[in-house]
Amino acid sequence: MTERAKFSGRIGFILAAAGSAVGLGNIWRFPYLAGKNGGASFLLIYLLFIAFICFPIMTAEIAIGRKAGLNAYGSYKKIGSGSWGSVGILGIIIGILVLSFYNVVAGWAFGYFIEIVFSDLLSVKDYGTHFAHYVADPSDNLFFSMGFMILTALIVSQGIQKGIEVANKIMMPGLYILLIALIVYSLTLPGAMKGVEFYLIPDITEITRHTFLDGVRQAFFSLSLGMGALLTYGSYLHKDQNIVSSAAIITLADTMVAFLAGLMVFPLVFSAGQSPAEGPPLVFMILPKIFQDMGPILGRIVGGSFFLMLCFAALTSTISMLEVPTAYLVDEKKLPRKKTVWTLATVVFIMGLPSLLSQGTKGFDMLNKLSFYHGRDFMTFISDLADMGLTLSGFLLCIFVTYRWKLFNMHEELAIGSPGYMSSGLHHFINFSIRIICPIAMGILFTMLMLEKFFGLDNIF
Ligand code: PHE
């Protein structure tokens, strides 16, 4: 048997895993959730969840992957035997679901990038109407989301070192540079400080049940947990690498981008006198108007950079999502990598069509207002379903590590490549979190999401 591919070293792994984590979740979803949930109070709760829940789960997920050296299904099965493989399968299925709609949103970002740089996005009169038409008209969307899926497949089909690693080594630094440049620019605008205040000075009266629910959901999603992406990347990690410090860097890198995205978006929004609570279209409706006000040249540069950055962020995430089922089929079914990647990309693209057509496309009203889903649209349905699956999968991961693999075995794996780990006391924290805090938090979140989304109990609590 040929040896399994590995990342060339620590930097390659960290960049790829951070690339997976940093995505639309950070730049598109985080600012609108923060905007909707009171800015600074959301940020505060979010940071707590990152530290106490997500970081420990991330170390556990990477440890499972590296210990077993297999895909999500194979790793759970190898370490846990019996039916534990099904936890991995759950992750793989959720990954496919997420990719199917994520690719559609990535296609919007791609389309906006092309339009702002090469076409007339800057001369639009009303960006709200424009966005509504844009997402409802499948002609452009189909093309751009297909383009995005093809880019993803091209990279993944090249394998770990030549594809995933090289792509991340180029795009991740690019993303940071663009982000910092945009922040510097937005902070110099008149009225920018109002945005900074909204974002950094918490008003605890703003904290509600939604702040918690949205915060923990977002933290989990943003760090790519629960669907085997980091587990799969962990399986390509050399034994001499330090998992704990890598996980800390990945967590920081991801949190930093979310934090910085807010620091860029809110000054822009406030300086233009707009409302931060616009919801999902925030970056597609409010920001283009602001770019327009900058004039045709500066607007193209700043707006083009913004949407290019969004595409980079999305692409480094979609490749990790496609890698999860690819690794499964290559490891378990011994299928050839390239063919598997292209077949999966085609299937997932087709699975994304109902999401793509659910944003107001004529003739597809039933997807736009799902009667069984309280009149919400198909894309929201899949995204909620996936979030629920992620939390369930996180819950099962904690149960698996605590009762099946056993925490001391995990610590043994974590200590390889990290000589000071056991004496640092950090393992007590990770223990406590994986055994107690995470399963309780994930269990509650799963139940609440289910009640709220499927049983319409939003008004009862
Ligand atoms: N973390 C990515 C984001 O923030 C999304 C993602 C989720 C990627 C799960 C891979 C796995 O956009």
Side-chain angles (χ1 to χ4, degrees), residues 20-26 98 102 221-224 227 229 317 320-321:
S20 167
V22 173
L24 294 171
N26 304 59
V98 174
Y102 197 93
F221 180 84
S222 185
L223 285 174
S224 302
M227 52 160 267
S317 296
S320 76
M321 291 184 213

Side-chain angles (χ1 to χ4, degrees), residues 80-238:
S81 68
S83 49
W84 281 104
S86 49
V87 180
I89 295 288
L90 174 68
I92 295 170
I93 294 174
I94 303 165
I96 290 178
L97 284 182
V98 174
L99 182 55
S100 75
F101 79 85
Y102 197 93
N103 185 61
V104 174
V105 182
W108 299 344
F110 193 24
Y112 263 47
F113 168 66
I114 302 285
E115 276 201 22
I116 206 165
V117 178
F118 302 107
S119 180
D120 49 5
L121 188 66
L122 286 176
S123 51
V124 165
K125 284 220 171 58
D126 173 355
Y127 282 98
T129 323
H130 179 81
F131 183 68
H133 281 304
Y134 185 78
V135 296
D137 173 7
S139 57
D140 280 354
N141 278 332
L142 263 180
F143 177 75
F144 287 122
S145 70
M146 193 188 293
F148 212 85
M149 189 60 94
I150 291 175
L151 276 177
T152 307
L154 270 177
I155 296 171
V156 177
S157 67
Q158 292 303 310
I160 306 307
Q161 289 201 9
K162 276 205 309 207
I164 296 180
E165 206 176 304
V166 169
N168 277 289
K169 277 186 172 159
I170 299 170
M171 284 189 281
M172 286 304 285
L175 182 144
Y176 272 96
I177 293 170
L178 290 174
L179 189 55
I180 303 226
L182 286 167
I183 292 175
V184 171
Y185 174 78
S186 76
L187 287 179
T188 57
L189 294 174
M193 283 309 136
K194 279 220 193 69
V196 176
E197 248 168 57
F198 168 77
Y199 189 47
L200 295 184
I201 304 180
D203 169 4
I204 42 172
T205 58
E206 296 257 9
I207 298 179
T208 65
R209 173 172 58 90
H210 288 282
T211 324
F212 284 92
L213 268 186
D214 282 347
V216 67
R217 238 178 122 175
Q218 170 63 11
F220 215 70
F221 180 84
S222 185
L223 285 174
S224 302
L225 299 173
M227 52 160 267
L230 295 179
L231 186 157
T232 306
Y233 276 6
S235 75
Y236 304 126
L237 188 60
H238 282 289

Side-chain angles (χ1 to χ4, degrees), residues 39 185 192 248 310 313 339 395 425:
Y185 174 78
L310 206 53
K339 259 202 200 132
F395 174 78

Side-chain angles (χ1 to χ4, degrees), residues 401-445:
V401 173
T402 311
Y403 299 102
R404 179 69 208 172
W405 191 21
K406 306 282 190 234
L407 284 152
F408 65 87
N409 284 319
M410 180 183 75
H411 293 314
E412 205 171 87
E413 181 63 28
L414 290 175
I416 304 175
S418 167
Y421 172 65
M422 288 310 271
S423 53
S424 70
L426 193 58
H427 66 290
H428 292 304
F429 166 69
I430 294 186
N431 247 351
F432 184 64
S433 175
I434 298 274
R435 239 177 44 182
I436 318 253
I437 307 182
C438 298
I440 295 179
M442 292 294 131
I444 295 179
L445 175 65

